[in-house]
Amino acid sequence: MTDILDLAREQVLDGGVALDQAQTLQVLQLGDDRLDELLALAHEVRMKWNGPDVEVEGIISLKTGGCPEDCHFCSQSGLFTSPVRSAWLDIPNLVEAAKQTAKSGATEFCIVAAVRGPDARLLAQVAAGIEAIRSEVDIQIACSLGMLTQEQVDQLAAMGVHRYNHNLETARSHFPNVVTTHTWEERRSTLEMVRAAGMEVCSGGILGMGESLEQRAEFAANLAELNPHEVPLNFLNPRPGTPFGDLEVLPATEALRAVAAFRLALPRTMLRFAGGSEITLGDLGAKKGILGGINAVIVGNYLTTLGRPVETDLDLLVELQMPIKALNATL
């Protein structure tokens, strides 16, 4: 029987053909003794099919907390006893956050709101924010505002939103164990409308939410079928007061194995380190991840949890000789 890494080298690295679900599962089942070999192969795949550039992004929460959905990992749900409370960010602070993000070398600034989907007030605030940012900052603007109608998709496209994030979160089969107030299919529908409107599709999820390795491989296949421009990989950072608050943090070796497996299942996709990577991997793990398939990072803090200092991530990219993707290359 052909070794899975030998097969992946020929199929993915040489041929540019992604691993399928069954093959991805074989990678996820590899022992820790094969981890360095796996990460090295994933890095080769990333370099061959994506190049050395790393895209840097900052995110800001326009509306925090008070969300009516019951995503079991999220402290922004108004249904749980977690300490996050509803709050809005004003336009001057939004513009300042965009300026600080641009100063870090980031090419993407993502406006996020904790909602099921945007109402007229929120869309008006987003439109005003985008106009204000554009007048002062040279940066691409992305949004993550929940599930959309076709009319809302068209409005965001008209505003010039470059990329829309809406995570599938987990495998289709595991989703009902994570969220009960809406369906995986509803999320997928939003992403299909976003793509049809000409915006880039950003969709990933969170690893370590009680899914099996089989479901992790299924999730990679779900994402490959969607063919998003970007996949943010989060690792569960258990939040007090949420249904997943008592889950264990994913072991670092398991997280790194997943990063490499997702790279082999999505060889041409932008794979971004997102929330939870600090608590799951630490500094050494972050370095290994960037040398094991990752080619994009979020700098600074996340929505309700702290990230690493911006300078730490930027210094790491310099150390690894990974150039930050220039804005003019994305226009």
Side-chain angles (χ1 to χ4, degrees), residues 114-287:
V115 290
R116 176 185 174 89
D119 58 14
R121 175 194 176 193
L122 178 57
L123 281 178
Q125 188 86 342
V126 169
I130 289 174
E131 186 177 357
I133 291 168
R134 285 245 163 81
S135 69
E136 297 195 45
V137 189
D138 186 18
I139 198 165
Q140 299 275 31
I141 298 173
C143 285
S144 181
L145 311 172
M147 291 173 286
L148 303 174
T149 64
Q150 184 62 59
E151 182 182 1
Q152 291 167 337
V153 169
D154 295 341
Q155 286 178 275
L156 290 171
M159 290 177 204
V161 172
H162 168 243
R163 186 181 298 161
Y164 193 80
N165 164 257
H166 194 48
N167 289 339
L168 289 178
E169 300 301 7
T170 191
R172 188 174 192 168
S173 67
H174 188 52
F175 192 86
N177 302 317
V178 177
V179 183
T180 69
T181 47
H182 60 265
T183 66
W184 189 93
E185 289 76 14
E186 286 177 282
R187 285 180 174 255
R188 174 68 191 249
S189 174
T190 287
L191 293 165
E192 288 169 348
M193 288 189 287
V194 163
R195 185 195 305 284
M199 287 180 278
E200 288 185 356
V201 171
C202 170
S203 186
I206 304 176
L207 303 181
M209 296 194 295
E211 75 278 2
S212 64
L213 291 183
E214 287 79 8
Q215 287 169 324
R216 212 167 280 167
E218 177 196 345
F219 183 34
N222 293 154
L223 290 169
E225 184 182 355
L226 178 65
N227 191 27
H229 181 268
E230 173 189 343
V231 170
L233 277 183
N234 299 267
F235 305 96
L236 183 69
N237 184 348
R239 297 287 85 201
T242 66
F244 288 168
D246 294 328
L247 290 183
E248 296 291 324
V249 172
L250 207 61
T253 53
E254 193 173 336
L256 288 169
R257 192 156 39 245
V259 166
F262 273 64
R263 170 51 69 203
L264 298 178
L266 298 153
R268 292 177 173 82
T269 301
M270 188 186 302
L271 206 56
R272 188 183 298 278
F273 262 157
S277 55
E278 299 78 21
I279 188 172
T280 304
L281 298 172
D283 290 347
L284 178 61
K287 185 174 183 177

